[in-house]
Amino acid sequence: MDQQLSAMIGAASIPGESGKSEVRIRLAYAECQIEFTSGKDDPTPQRYTLKPLADLYGQPQASPGSPVDPRDPTYSPLFMAIEEEIGRTYASDPSLSDGAVELALDLLATDPAADLRHEPLAHSIQLALRLLLSLNSYSRDEVRQTLRKIRKSVQWHTRESGRRGYLDFISDFLPG
């Protein structure tokens, strides 16, 4: 977890009329940065370069070696960060196939912190993970287990529904 980023976002939060804070975050993929703005009074964006994934791993949420369960709300943000990024990529590139998703997940599951700039999908998933782990605490093992579970889902949906079975499946559940 990135305490510096968390503090910056917290300081940027300006209570609105309802007493709630509003912070908007935009990922700048090429620079591995986020740009965040808060409130209507200060529209000036602040930029922050995300720390490398290897520096962001936290303590396991459950006892070490426990399996990551996609139905456990503790891990929902981790599954959603990965699958939303896959869905976002598919929405912008309809030629994407389940095979490309599986390859990206394989690369990430092997070494989530590897230099994957040459693999656009894997790199964008990695950036989404960097943002998530900047604000949440998950261990390297939990990230790898999640990537592997999603990869198994890709394999199952591909086998059942064809070369875009998984992508079409998640498209039904993700905001579009």
Side-chain angles (χ1 to χ4, degrees):
M1 193 161 156
D2 186 344
Q3 298 298 336
Q4 181 183 0
L5 176 61
S6 185
M8 287 174 69
I9 290 175
S13 299
I14 300 170
E17 293 176 14
S18 64
K20 294 183 180 177
S21 300
E22 181 180 320
V23 175
R24 284 183 225 93
I25 296 176
R26 184 183 72 79
L27 289 169
Y29 288 89
E31 301 88 18
C32 295
Q33 293 182 333
I34 61 167
E35 182 177 281
F36 60 95
T37 55
S38 62
K40 297 174 185 168
D41 296 336
D42 184 14
T44 308
Q46 296 183 42
R47 291 184 77 96
Y48 183 81
T49 301
L50 296 170
K51 290 184 178 177
L53 201 54
D55 296 346
L56 296 170
Y57 296 123
Q59 296 300 312
Q61 297 293 315
S63 59
S66 296
V68 172
D69 183 352
R71 295 168 299 205
D72 183 341
T74 304
Y75 298 106
S76 294
L78 191 51
F79 280 92
M80 285 302 296
I82 296 165
E83 292 190 309
E84 281 181 343
E85 192 58 35
I86 293 168
R88 186 196 67 73
T89 302
Y90 183 45
S92 66
D93 179 9
S95 69
L96 188 67
S97 69
D98 288 0
V101 173
E102 190 176 347
L103 176 63
L105 294 171
D106 274 339
L107 290 169
L108 287 162
T110 302
D111 183 4
D115 181 2
L116 297 171
R117 287 177 282 184
H118 62 286
E119 295 290 338
L121 177 58
H123 183 67
S124 65
I125 294 169
Q126 192 177 59
L127 183 58
L129 285 169
R130 286 170 68 180
L131 177 57
L132 177 75
L133 268 62
S134 292
L135 302 171
N136 297 275
S137 182
Y138 293 104
S139 70
R140 180 178 186 270
D141 186 53
E142 289 167 329
V143 170
R144 291 178 73 208
Q145 282 186 51
T146 302
L147 291 161
R148 288 181 181 131
K149 284 204 182 281
I150 295 171
R151 184 184 65 209
K152 285 182 182 177
S153 179
V154 172
Q155 292 169 338
W156 187 87
H157 285 284
T158 303
R159 199 170 36 252
E160 293 296 313
S161 303
R163 65 183 300 236
R164 288 196 179 85
Y166 170 76
L167 291 164
D168 292 337
F169 171 74
I170 65 167
S171 294
D172 291 341
F173 295 98
L174 297 174

